[in-house]
Amino acid sequence: MRRFFALQAQVAGALWPLFDDPDLLPPLSLKTLLRHAGRVGSYAPLLRWLGRPLGEVLARHGLEGFTPLRTYLDALCQITVQCSAAEAETPFAFAAMDYYWRGTGHVRGGIGRLATALTKAITDRGGEVHLANRVRAVTPVDGGWRVTARRGELLARHVVANVLPHGLRTLLDARTGQLPKLDALAERVDGGWGAAMLYLVVRPPEGDSGAAHHFDMVRDEQAPFIEGNHLFASVSGAADEGRARPGQRTVTVSTHVPLKKVAGLTPEEQALYFTGLHARMRENLDALLPEWTANVVHVMTGSPRTFQRFTLREAGAVGGVPRRAGLDNYRILGPFQAQRGLWLVGDSVFPGQSTLATAVGGVRTAASIAAVR
C-alpha cells in the first residue's frame, strides 16, 4: 500500500505543476521546452504507465483484491476520469487522486456565482457579454468567420466554441464524415455519460456545523458504480445565501447514466427507466445519508433530457470524454482547432473535465490565438 501511494505521489507531483503553471502545457515555446528538460527526471515514473490502466498498477502491487481500496478508487475515478479504476488511464487517475490531498473549491452561493464572476471579469476588461442570444450558425468568410445569432450577426477572426463536438458540427452545418477529427471526438463523447439528478431542499440535522458538505457514496461495492448505486451529493452551507430559505439547505445528488443505453430506449422506455432510477437513488440516499434526508422539504428530479433542454448539450452529455486506458488520450495534448480560426474548448477536449481543467484549456487556447494574431 505504501509503495502504491508513493508511486501515485510521484506521478501526481510531476503532473500538477502543469496545472499550476499552464505555460508548461502545449503549445510549447523554446523556453518551456527547456523547462521541461530540467524536469525530465520527475517524468520517469509517469512514462512507464502511459497507456496502461490503473487496475494493472493495483495488480502489480498485489492490491487488486483489496476491496476497501478498490471501492475508494472506483468511486474517485468514476467522478473524475469518468470510468472505473480497472479501466482508467493511470496518469490521469493518479493526478485525480491528489484532490484528496490538495483539496477542492466550494463556490459559496452555488456555481452560478462563478459564472457571474467570469462574465464580470470580461466586462471589466472591456469585453462584451451577450446573454439570451443563441448562436445558430458559424460560417467561414474571408478573413475569419461569420457568427449568426438570434439577435444578429458578428464577424470574427477567431471563434472559440464552448460546446460539444456534436454542437460544433451543427453550427457548421457539417455532415458526419466531413470533419473526421470532430467525428472521432464526438464518438468518444458518445461512449460516456449523462446524469440522473435529485435536487432536495432539507432541514439540516441537529447540531450541524453549518459548513458545506460533499459526499461520495456507494451502496453495493460489488455492483457497477453507476445508475444509482454510486451517488455524489453536495450540501450547501449555511453561508450560501440565496440557495434556500433561512434554516434550510440544498442537496444536489447525481449518478452516472450510460448515454448509449439511454439512446437505445424509446421515449416511453426512458420514462420508466428514469422513474425507477430516481426511486432507487432516493432509496439509496435515505440508506447512506439518513441524517440529511430525515427532513426533506422539497424534491425535484433531473435527467439527461433536462440537461439537454437547459444547456443545449446534445443527449444531455456530461463529464466529457472518459479517460479509459490507451495512448489515444495523448494524441491531441493542446488546443483543439477544428478549422483554421475555429477552436473547441470545454470538457470534451484536453485536459478534460473539471473547473480547473477547462479553465487551463481555455488559457492555452487563448495563448494559441494570441500567437497567430
Side-chain angles (χ1 to χ4, degrees):
M1 183 80 78
R2 290 191 180 94
R3 287 197 300 273
F4 174 79
F5 277 98
L7 175 62
Q8 182 272 326
Q10 287 180 307
V11 173
L15 292 176
W16 271 87
L18 307 183
F19 291 94
D20 295 332
D21 184 358
D23 285 347
L24 290 170
L25 289 168
L28 300 176
S29 64
L30 177 59
K31 180 180 178 181
T32 52
L33 283 171
L34 291 173
R35 290 177 63 190
H36 279 295
R39 302 180 71 244
V40 69
S42 67
Y43 295 140
L46 164 71
L47 295 175
R48 177 180 179 181
W49 295 104
L50 286 178
R52 299 165 76 176
L54 185 59
E56 190 175 325
V57 187
L58 286 168
R60 182 168 184 82
H61 289 81
L63 296 169
E64 69 273 26
F66 185 38
T67 299
L69 180 62
R70 287 300 302 266
T71 302
Y72 159 75
L73 292 176
D74 279 336
L76 182 150
C77 287
Q78 191 66 54
I79 62 168
T80 55
V81 295
Q82 304 295 313
C83 60
S84 69
E87 304 172 280
E89 171 68 11
T90 292
F92 282 84
F94 272 164
M97 286 172 65
D98 241 38
Y99 277 125
Y100 283 96
W101 286 271
R102 295 174 182 268
T104 57
H106 175 78
V107 182
R108 188 167 287 177
I111 202 70
R113 295 287 180 91
L114 178 59
T116 302
L118 287 169
T119 56
K120 185 176 185 301
I122 293 170
T123 56
D124 285 350
R125 287 157 180 78
E128 295 182 22
V129 177
H130 297 254
L131 302 178
N133 191 23
R134 180 179 175 180
V135 174
R136 303 191 186 282
V138 177
T139 310
V141 295
D142 288 343
W145 297 87
R146 180 174 65 247
V147 179
T148 305
R150 186 173 68 87
R151 289 189 276 161
E153 294 183 348
L154 296 167
L155 295 177
R157 280 177 289 177
H158 294 268
V159 172
V160 180
N162 185 7
V163 297
L164 292 177
H166 315 63
L168 190 54
R169 276 194 313 216
T170 300
L171 292 174
L172 290 167
D173 193 25
R175 297 183 306 276
T176 302
Q178 286 184 266
L179 299 168
K181 190 165 71 167
L182 264 186
D183 293 341
L185 186 58
E187 188 173 341
R188 296 189 72 190
V189 171
D190 290 339
W193 309 98
M197 307 291 300
L198 293 176
Y199 301 98
L200 312 178
V201 178
V202 304
R203 294 188 179 90
E206 187 87 23
D208 176 67
S209 66
H213 303 281
H214 304 278
F215 299 97
D216 197 358
M217 299 169 286
V218 180
R219 185 72 189 273
D220 181 357
E221 295 171 341
Q222 305 306 317
F225 284 26
I226 59 175
E227 297 181 300
N229 182 47
H230 174 225
L231 301 170
F232 190 82
S234 292
V235 183
S236 66
D240 289 323
E241 297 178 357
R243 300 288 287 167
R245 293 177 179 176
Q248 298 178 358
R249 311 275 275 281
T250 58
V251 184
T252 305
V253 188
S254 64
T255 192
H256 285 73
V257 177
L259 286 176
K260 288 186 176 179
K261 179 175 182 176
V262 175
L265 301 176
T266 66
E268 293 77 14
E269 290 170 336
Q270 286 189 26
L272 289 173
Y273 172 75
F274 283 106
T275 297
L277 179 51
H278 287 130
R280 184 159 61 253
M281 290 175 69
R282 183 62 190 272
E283 176 188 341
N284 289 344
L285 187 67
D286 289 343
L288 295 167
L289 210 61
E291 66 273 28
W292 283 99
T293 61
N295 293 290
V296 176
V297 177
H298 184 68
V299 181
M300 292 192 302
T301 61
S303 70
R305 181 179 175 183
T306 315
F307 280 92
Q308 183 171 11
R309 177 184 176 190
F310 286 99
T311 70
L312 305 181
R313 288 172 68 98
E314 287 73 13
V318 297
V321 174
R323 295 296 176 180
R324 298 183 176 98
L327 295 177
D328 271 358
N329 289 294
Y330 309 98
R331 193 164 54 86
I332 301 177
L333 285 181
F336 190 103
Q337 191 168 194
Q339 292 185 341
R340 183 176 179 84
L342 179 61
W343 309 79
L344 184 68
V345 295
D347 58 7
S348 58
V349 296
F350 182 81
Q353 70 115 13
S354 82
T355 303
L356 174 60
T358 52
V360 168
V363 166
R364 299 316 295 151
T365 300
S368 294
I369 293 172
V372 299
R373 287 177 69 89

